[in-house]
Amino acid sequence: MRCRPSQPASKTPGRRIDLMSNSAAATPRTPASPGPDSEPVAITLQLAQPYLSSAQIVRLCARQRREELPEVKEQHIRLLAAQWINAVGAALQFPIRTIGTALMLFQRFHLFNPMADYLYTDTAAACLFVACKMEDTNKKLRDILIADYNLKHPDGPEINPESSSLEEHRRRIIGLERRVLQTAGFDFRGRHPQNSLIKFARYYRVHKDVASKAWDICVDAYRTFAPFKHTPQTLALAALLLAGKLATAADGAPLEFDQIPFERFHTTHANVADCVHDFLELYIHHRQMTRIGQDIPLERFMELQIELNRAGHVMQDVKVPVLETDGRAENGLDKSGRHEVIRYILDPERQRRERHAMEDLVMEG
């Protein structure tokens, strides 16, 4: 008999003591507070930046890349991690929002942390656990690890939920949790294209088969950097356009670029075209690791990419603020070794007000 993930248990005093004693060693140590005679603490305001440009993504990927892990292998590991998250999420019956959030967290984590320094399964487990908290999916980390074990050993032997090996693995993942949150900027705002896709499908009255294929394309989009470059409505429009091109004649006339009032949907022609280009790149080079790529000939994707380029759809980046994370030190210390306190802020206006207030204090001092 296989071991099944446990149901959420009530918090008992014994359980609380066990967690406090076992997880303390695995949790990253917080830097000691500076004393009254120590140097001043450096305070940095970090604005959450949900969107990045293509140039920023390329620069961040190049900065984290190691010689022993070339770009092609990095991309393969990203897709393996996506498969892991999808498989474990499906086994636990997670909603698509939770799985999508975990995929975006994994992609963002390795924009700021070298992939060669981490086991992709550990990072994927940490991202899935954080995604459960962000999307209010009630599952424990132990349940995620047990589901992973059951997928790897479908014929047994069963694992003991209280085994030392499982507990050691759990503590290792908890040690990654804070770093995942830091790279996400503690930004818990969900940005998923599914709601926009449903509205657009109804608005344009597309065939249900086209809408279903567009849904799968939106799920595959989490395997790319498109969610970091484009808004949910841009992803949804791009998915509908590509799904219409891939549909048969029986599914009706496909949606065309000239039918979309881009300004009304707060996007641009170039951004939607860039998003479609990212989807086609995924399907051309990695279609075996996607939801719809295996059902469509490779030649069809290549024909659509040539058609997109010939149509003269100019691609450009989403205009986003410049990254403020370049050169950021870790563990609460800045480059000079002084203690650094990072305040994560979601509102740009509040960041400006606090920055001006800090500058005034420095001038007065």
Side-chain angles (χ1 to χ4, degrees):
M1 180 178 179
R2 294 168 57 195
C3 179
R4 297 181 178 178
S6 60
Q7 297 296 325
S10 59
K11 296 181 180 180
T12 61
R15 181 62 174 168
R16 180 183 179 187
I17 294 174
D18 180 65
L19 284 176
M20 292 176 64
S21 60
N22 290 338
S23 62
T27 304
R29 182 176 297 177
T30 303
S33 300
D37 299 330
S38 60
E39 295 183 1
V41 176
I43 300 178
T44 302
L45 302 179
Q46 177 61 38
L47 178 65
Q49 301 211 7
Y51 298 108
L52 306 171
S53 68
S54 295
Q56 289 171 333
I57 291 173
V58 170
R59 186 175 73 249
L60 289 169
C61 288
R63 181 184 302 166
Q64 304 302 333
R65 189 170 299 123
R66 302 288 176 82
E67 292 183 0
E68 64 270 20
L69 201 63
E71 182 179 358
V72 175
K73 194 170 183 180
E74 275 190 358
Q75 180 62 20
H76 183 67
I77 292 176
R78 286 192 183 94
L79 295 173
L80 288 177
Q83 286 188 328
W84 187 97
I85 290 172
N86 274 280
V88 175
L92 295 173
Q93 299 182 348
F94 284 169
I96 192 61
R97 289 178 62 89
T98 303
I99 296 175
T101 297
L103 291 170
M104 288 191 291
L105 287 173
F106 183 89
Q107 296 270 38
R108 192 177 189 92
F109 180 84
H110 284 299
L111 287 176
F112 299 93
N113 299 276
M115 192 171 292
D117 292 351
Y118 300 88
L119 290 174
Y120 80 86
T121 51
D122 285 356
T123 307
C127 292
L128 191 57
F129 182 50
V130 173
C132 287
K133 296 182 177 181
M134 293 174 62
E135 301 295 341
D136 294 327
T137 305
N138 189 17
K139 280 295 178 183
K140 298 179 180 178
L141 177 57
R142 194 182 302 273
D143 296 333
I144 295 174
L145 299 180
I146 290 175
D148 175 40
Y149 178 87
N150 289 337
L151 288 173
K152 292 179 179 177
H153 306 87
D155 299 325
E158 65 181 35
I159 187 173
N160 180 8
E162 303 300 329
S163 66
S164 59
S165 61
L166 188 65
E167 177 62 20
E168 181 182 355
H169 193 188
R170 187 187 70 85
R171 284 186 287 177
R172 188 166 71 246
I173 302 305
I174 289 177
L176 283 172
E177 181 184 2
R178 186 181 72 171
R179 189 174 291 273
V180 171
L181 289 169
Q182 287 175 336
T183 54
F186 291 88
D187 185 358
F188 302 144
R189 295 171 294 183
R191 296 175 298 274
H192 299 276
Q194 282 77 18
N195 288 339
S196 298
L197 175 64
I198 294 173
K199 294 178 181 178
F200 290 146
R202 291 175 177 172
Y203 179 80
Y204 287 107
R205 299 180 180 179
V206 300
H207 193 276
K208 63 179 182 179
D209 291 339
V210 176
S212 177
K213 193 178 296 293
W215 179 278
D216 290 337
I217 293 174
C218 284
V219 175
D220 284 337
Y222 295 121
R223 291 170 166 82
T224 71
F225 288 115
F228 298 117
K229 298 191 295 179
H230 303 291
T231 59
Q233 59 267 28
T234 303
L235 294 172
L237 288 171
L240 272 180
L241 284 165
L242 181 56
K245 297 290 186 180
L246 296 172
T248 61
D251 296 330
L255 181 65
E256 299 292 347
F257 276 92
D258 54 10
Q259 296 178 252
I260 302 175
F262 295 102
E263 292 184 0
R264 177 181 177 185
F265 299 139
H266 303 284
T267 186
T268 65
H269 181 287
N271 286 341
V272 175
D274 180 61
C275 197
V276 173
H277 180 269
D278 285 349
F279 295 162
L280 290 174
E281 285 290 310
L282 174 68
Y283 292 129
I284 290 173
H285 299 290
H286 307 283
R287 67 190 188 94
Q288 298 298 327
M289 305 182 76
T290 61
R291 296 185 66 153
I292 71 168
Q294 302 181 45
D295 302 329
I296 299 171
L298 175 62
E299 293 75 14
R300 181 55 182 153
F301 292 118
M302 298 182 70
E303 290 173 0
L304 290 175
Q305 189 177 51
I306 294 173
E307 178 184 332
L308 184 70
N309 294 334
R310 285 180 176 174
H313 299 302
V314 180
M315 289 168 280
Q316 62 186 22
D317 292 333
V318 177
K319 295 181 179 180
V320 296
V322 177
L323 282 174
E324 300 180 2
T325 53
D326 294 354
R328 175 62 49 78
E330 302 289 345
N331 300 324
L333 298 176
D334 64 8
K335 289 183 178 181
S336 62
R338 296 185 305 166
H339 287 277
E340 181 184 40
V341 176
I342 303 175
R343 280 180 44 79
Y344 294 92
I345 299 177
L346 302 181
D347 183 14
E349 181 60 32
R350 179 170 180 176
Q351 183 206 32
R352 283 191 288 269
R353 292 199 306 267
E354 293 198 14
R355 176 169 292 172
H356 292 327
M358 290 171 58
E359 292 173 353
D360 293 341
L361 287 175
V362 171
M363 294 183 65
E364 292 176 1

